[in-house]
Amino acid sequence: MFARLLRFASCLVSAIAVPAHAGDVPVFAQRVTSSAKEIVSYPVGNPSAMTVVGAQADTLVGMDFNPEATVLWALDFTTQQIGTVNPMTAVFVPTATLQGPCCFNSFTIDPVSGVFYGSLDTNETVYSIDPLSGQSALQGVAAAAGWAISALAIDCNGRGISSASNAQGDERLFRWRVGTSAVLIGNTGHVHATSLEFDNADGSLYAWFGTTTSSTHAKVDPVTAQTSQESLLEGRYRMAIRSACPSDRIFANGFDPAP
């Protein structure tokens, strides 16, 4: 699968050079307001400097870049299709219809292995997804039993982070790896996370929390779940941070020394 994926991705490489350091890292996101759906871009950590790329009518509920940070992938919730988004025109091009359980509401790409992972909108399970066939396979859990995942992220050392809520409306962050049980991190103090993303250039974790009316953007500590640098903006957001993993931040066994 991965050889096919790499060949396919090479045909879709953006003409924009990959940023050299964190200060140059751009974020691409779908913003949904009461009057518009559009792809926007802003410098990582600074959504107040947002610019509009173009209109985007699809309902994208997951976005992430491939490991080389050259191809922007997205998941369309309404059609349950996976595909690519052109970061210069905002055009979404489906590559496959998702097969298996419904409905996938978030996904992330392992920035080292390139494996696509997705979660449903009803429980704690996580699946791998083949972006060219749409086939999915159950891989395990990314939250505690009885919690429904709304956002996923994976860092350069294979550490997964999820945001999930329970039937009472409580929301928590969990740490996960395929093949192991999810571990509770804590409470961010926010509800309805729509997006979690690591900036692979420096390991920072960012999130969007909110509804169609307004959302809070924040930097999140992946160890304590504490948030900082918060800002409130109109709309609901799903984002992807365009940065690749530096070689000195990838461990040979795929695990950070102190998970």
Side-chain angles (χ1 to χ4, degrees), residues 189-246:
H190 297 278
V191 295
H192 194 60
T194 57
S195 200
L196 288 171
E197 276 288 300
F198 281 101
D199 176 2
N200 295 320
D202 66 6
S204 297
L205 178 65
Y206 294 91
W208 282 101
F209 304 92
T211 65
T212 301
T213 303
S214 61
S215 295
T216 298
H217 177 272
K219 188 174 183 179
V220 183
D221 187 324
V223 176
T224 67
Q226 296 300 301
T227 61
S228 60
Q229 302 177 22
E230 296 184 6
S231 56
L232 184 68
L233 288 88
E234 179 187 12
R236 185 181 71 242
Y237 297 82
R238 299 280 184 161
M239 66 174 166
I241 299 175
R242 192 170 187 263
S243 56
C245 295

Side-chain angles (χ1 to χ4, degrees), residues 101-168:
C102 186
C103 294
F104 285 92
N105 74 320
S106 63
F107 94 101
T108 188
I109 300 174
D110 186 311
V112 177
S113 71
V115 176
F116 287 48
Y117 292 101
S119 62
L120 305 177
D121 61 353
T122 55
N123 58 42
E124 71 278 6
T125 54
V126 63
Y127 293 75
S128 60
I129 298 172
D130 185 327
L132 302 186
S133 70
Q135 294 293 329
S136 60
L138 181 64
Q139 297 297 321
V141 299
W147 292 69
I149 299 168
S150 62
L152 294 169
I154 300 178
D155 71 5
C156 296
N157 301 316
R159 173 181 53 177
I161 302 293
S162 68
S163 185
S165 58
N166 63 11
Q168 289 71 46

